[in-house]
Amino acid sequence: MTVVNPNVRDEREQYAFHDDITYLRETKAGLTEATVREISETKDEPAWMLEYRLRAYKHFEARAMPHWGGDLTKLDFSKIVYYRKPSEREEKSWDDVPDQIKKTFERLGIPEAERKFLAGVGAQYDSEVVYHSVREDLQKLGVVFMGTDQGMKEYPEIFKKYFGTVIPAEDNKFAALNSAVWSGGSFVYVPKGVEVPLPLQAYFRINGQNTGQFERTLIVVDEGASLHYIEGCTAPNWATDSLHVAVVEVIALPGSKVRYTTIQNWSNDVYNLVTKRAHAHAGATVEWIDANTGAQLTMKYPGIYLLGEKAHAEIVSVAVASKGQRQDTGAKAIHLAPNTTSRIVGKSVCKDGGVATYRGTVKVAPGATGVTTSVRCDALILDEGSRSETYPYIDIQEDDTSMSHEATVGRVSDDQIFYLMSRGMTENEATNLIVQGFLEVFTKELPMEYALEFNRLIRLEMEGALG
Amino acid sequence: MSAATPARHGVGDLPLSWVNEEELKRLDDALGGASPRADALKAFSSLPTEANLLFTGYVDLRAADLEGSTLLAPPLAISELPASELPAGAAALISISARGVGIHLGAEARAAGLTVGPLPGGTPLAGAESDRMTALIGACWNSGTEISLLSGSITAPIIIRIESPAQGEALLARIAVKLGENVSATISEEVAGRSADSGSTSGTTARALLATTSEVTLGKGAKLRLASIQELPEDVVYLPVRRHEFGANSELQIAAAQIGARLVRGRIDHQLTGNGSKVRQVEVVFAGADQLHDLTTYSLHAGEKTVGDLLAKGIFAGKARGFVKGVTTIPRSGRGTNSYLGEFGMLLSKTARSVAIPSLWIDQPDCERAAHGSSVGPIDPNQIFYLRARGLTEAEARRTIVMGYLEPVVAALPLEEEADRLREVLAAKLDAAFAAQLAAAATAA
């Protein structure tokens, strides 16, 4: 019998609604050079950006689909709407956001979160950023947090210096697609020595049917500065495919510290094909804390290029794959400088026929002496019919590297369930608790409010896991 | 293209002029097997060099300078070798080379009913449909031997001596081993050969190609210990393919050492279909200079309560490169599987490279264990310090540590004399690697 916990029953619907909105502007479904030009023209961009987009479009057209990872054969690029503009401009005051959109984010709890525990908030609705604000005291210190389109116009020197340097347009087919049609995303700049005390948060929402969301995030954290950036994402369940193809570039300059946390909860019709990469310069620390619970297919491997001596990389990647889902996730640590260190922890849970894949790379290039790196990936399979795959790629080209890698795949043991049930839990509650414990390596890295939200998401995913 | 400068070719290319229908007809006339050969040729022509896209799409075969090589036509009849050639303590000797197949069965082997004969031409080579290197052997094998022990058991080892052909020649030898129900046997494989300057008459710069299969079928409850030491000259291209089919409760212990050859592209398939079947594999790779080893072990735990315990250790010196890959698959039928895959590497020079890809593919949650581990590290300076504090020189300390690292593989060899010989070979290669390292450091200084 399926056990439903009354405390969590209604929460799934919290994200599943959609709004009937009239867009101010939208491109026709399908992608041509004209679409790319139209997006650039709508945004009134500089010529170099149009050129960049067109170059990327050509590469996207020429590049074959990846032959590995999930099934992309049903992804029909001609049915996707590549640009949908919901409001006239990006607002700095919550009151000025159009009512319909405001209601959406209010239902998702964004303004409340901003007041309580965030240093700044950004909200993107389909293709455009509708709201961005950053606390006044941080603004005075020079912290920039705005939509990427706006960042390109207001901070052209920083923007042009770093845009596309971490993930070139030709990096992969989906990075090329994003580079051709990107819209929205966050632009963050933290000046030298400034420590942002509370997280900045961006919230991404796909509302329209067959919509592609192609946000582009560029984060530059200057020398000795620190930042924690959190992103969340949802979409209503339309039963037709939506596409989320983001590119996130992080530049951690010498001695800085950046933590980038993602809680991905797309609806189960979204293809989530994201390229995330950071450059960690000397003495910098970059942390990707990444959780994937939604989407029909996620292909995402946050990477860190350790470019400067004593840079440190930390990647915690967790995934829960349920019915009809494939979470093809992992991590990359590329050591290009001496005495750099990295730690990767991958955890995945699969159930109801879901497929969870860990695909990771650790590379130590010639010249990167004294590297220490460790990888640990564990998987839980909750039932027959679900699948766990692990593909680590470890390439060491320096003789004094210290690398360790461990992986295990297992199930929830009957003994653990029996122990918890003998203390009054139902089987579902017991499994839920064990899964939460298994994923604690991720949860403990989150601010408390997010940890609670994540645990709720896990409970939702686990509903009906046993029946 | 002049014979003196071999042509450059793509990373995955095998420039073999003799893989064609005409040669296949000649082989079919001599050895039979027209239909499976034709199927294998089709697969060879259509498959990518690395069909398994789980980890990497390319395999570096640039060192396979085989242009202008000739496919040998060894004598068909199996000859009887003199008793004096049988090594002390061995049950039988089977010698496979360009000169054909020669055998000598000792008293124990004859009494137990060991038979050695030519492999029937129509015997298809399993795996040829999905792996390009297996397909190459399936199409063009020019030597085939079938070894059967269907009842009884042999305690002393059966020695299989495989000699690489001369420069410019290609030997593709199939070896099929069948053990009947509850039979136990030990096989010791010695893979060696002559170096290029010791007898090439072909006038070509093409490398020698040695491709071998080891097609093992284990009956219910059968037990096989298999040891293999590969000490080919460092200019040979070696393509070993092993495929092991397991009956219920059968066991295989395999210890393999890869030391020689310029390029080794190896594949091992453990088909653990019989319930309760077990494999324990230890493998050591010691490469220096420009050697490249590309080795993949596939384990399919299709039966219930099967055990796979695989350990690979690699040492890479000079400009050597090692790609050690493993794929452990537990399908839904594989309840109660206990599987471990360990891939460990040690780099002895700044120009060496070690790539490890231990993969898992699990469909059955009811596993006793499904895990892999991997590490790459230098010689631990603390261990060197410890040994030096006990009076060893730096060189002695390093040698002791490396030999200790390899010892679990060496100790798994069935014959003590072989284990000792392997220790000597490894120690000599290690000394050479350290000497090269010192010379390189001196040059750099």
Side-chain angles (χ1 to χ4, degrees), chain B residues 368-388:
Chain B
E368 199 177 305
R369 178 168 71 148
H372 65 224
S374 174
S375 77
V376 173
I379 299 178
D380 185 349
N382 290 326
Q383 291 181 1
I384 293 181
F385 178 78
Y386 179 89
L387 291 173
R388 293 210 63 188

Side-chain angles (χ1 to χ4, degrees), chain B residues 245-372:
Chain B
E245 310 271 354
F246 290 79
N249 298 314
S250 60
E251 284 182 41
L252 171 67
Q253 276 189 49
I254 175 165
Q258 300 276 5
I259 296 160
R262 172 66 178 81
L263 168 70
V264 181
R265 155 81 167 157
R267 177 183 170 119
I268 301 177
D269 272 276
H270 299 300
Q271 301 277 320
L272 293 142
T273 42
N275 293 344
S277 55
K278 289 179 188 157
V279 60
R280 178 163 187 265
Q281 176 181 314
V282 286
E283 191 175 25
V284 62
V285 180
F286 190 164
D290 288 321
Q291 286 181 284
L292 188 152
H293 287 78
D294 187 309
L295 307 168
T296 311
T297 302
Y298 291 82
S299 303
L300 175 69
H301 293 265
E304 290 191 4
K305 295 197 160 119
T306 58
V307 178
D309 189 355
L310 314 179
L311 173 67
K313 291 198 163 190
I315 292 192
F316 303 98
K319 289 182 188 165
R321 284 174 293 158
F323 298 83
V324 181
K325 300 174 274 192
V327 183
T328 298
T329 306
I330 307 178
R332 283 173 78 169
S333 57
R335 286 173 185 281
T337 294
N338 183 336
S339 164
Y340 175 75
L341 169 65
E343 294 177 357
F344 301 93
M346 189 183 269
L347 297 181
L348 295 184
S349 90
K350 299 194 85 58
T351 43
R353 180 178 182 188
S354 161
V355 176
I357 313 174
S359 312
L360 296 171
W361 193 337
I362 317 287
D363 278 327
Q364 174 53 260
D366 183 9
C367 301
E368 199 177 305
R369 178 168 71 148
H372 65 224

Side-chain angles (χ1 to χ4, degrees), chain A residues 369 381 383-384 386-399 401-409 411, chain B residues 54 335 347 350 353-366 370-378:
Chain A
T369 51
I381 309 182
D383 46 43
E384 283 191 23
S386 301
R387 171 182 291 174
S388 168
E389 300 172 1
T390 310
Y391 310 124
Y393 183 96
I394 303 151
D395 184 351
I396 310 294
Q397 299 184 53
E398 266 300 340
D399 60 347
T401 301
S402 174
M403 183 288 292
S404 70
H405 171 96
E406 271 182 86
T408 60
V409 180
R411 59 177 172 155
Chain B
L54 298 182
R335 286 173 185 281
L347 297 181
K350 299 194 85 58
R353 180 178 182 188
S354 161
V355 176
I357 313 174
S359 312
L360 296 171
W361 193 337
I362 317 287
D363 278 327
Q364 174 53 260
D366 183 9
H372 65 224
S374 174
S375 77
V376 173

Side-chain angles (χ1 to χ4, degrees), chain A residues 346-368:
Chain A
K347 295 258 183 182
S348 69
V349 179
C350 55
K351 67 182 199 52
D352 296 337
V355 180
T357 302
Y358 170 84
R359 197 183 295 272
T361 303
V362 171
K363 183 166 181 157
V364 178

Side-chain angles (χ1 to χ4, degrees), chain B residues 13-89:
Chain B
D13 291 350
L14 269 182
L16 298 168
S17 55
W18 39 262
V19 186
N20 56 46
E21 281 170 16
E22 201 180 315
E23 280 288 345
L24 251 60
K25 184 161 184 332
R26 183 179 71 77
L27 289 163
D28 176 42
D29 291 344
L31 298 158
S35 166
R37 283 180 193 273
D39 290 345
L41 177 66
K42 222 178 276 175
F44 179 77
S45 312
S46 59
L47 285 170
T49 302
E50 179 54 270
N52 188 340
L53 297 173
L54 298 182
F55 23 74
T56 173
Y58 88 92
V59 170
D60 188 352
L61 299 180
R62 281 173 296 181
D65 295 321
L66 297 167
E67 271 162 340
S69 66
T70 349
L71 186 61
L72 287 168
L76 298 178
I78 292 181
S79 61
E80 179 69 25
L81 297 170
S84 56
E85 294 223 2
L86 187 69

Side-chain angles (χ1 to χ4, degrees), chain A residues 134-204:
Chain A
V134 63
R135 257 173 33 181
E136 210 173 311
D137 53 329
L138 293 169
Q139 216 167 359
K140 278 184 190 153
L141 289 170
V143 175
V144 177
F145 179 39
M146 56 179 53
T148 306
D149 298 271
Q150 201 185 340
M152 175 170 59
K153 284 176 186 153
E154 294 187 20
Y155 295 89
E157 300 83 25
I158 303 174
F159 188 89
K160 208 170 168 187
K161 185 173 174 188
Y162 293 109
F163 181 87
T165 58
V166 182
I167 301 168
E170 291 80 5
D171 191 81
N172 63 71
K173 187 168 178 82
F174 297 106
L177 175 61
N178 176 284
S179 300
V181 299
W182 73 270
S183 181
S186 297
F187 174 72
V188 180
Y189 174 73
V190 185
K192 274 186 191 171
V194 173
E195 291 184 15
V196 181
L198 290 167
L200 297 179
Q201 195 204 12
Y203 209 89
F204 296 94

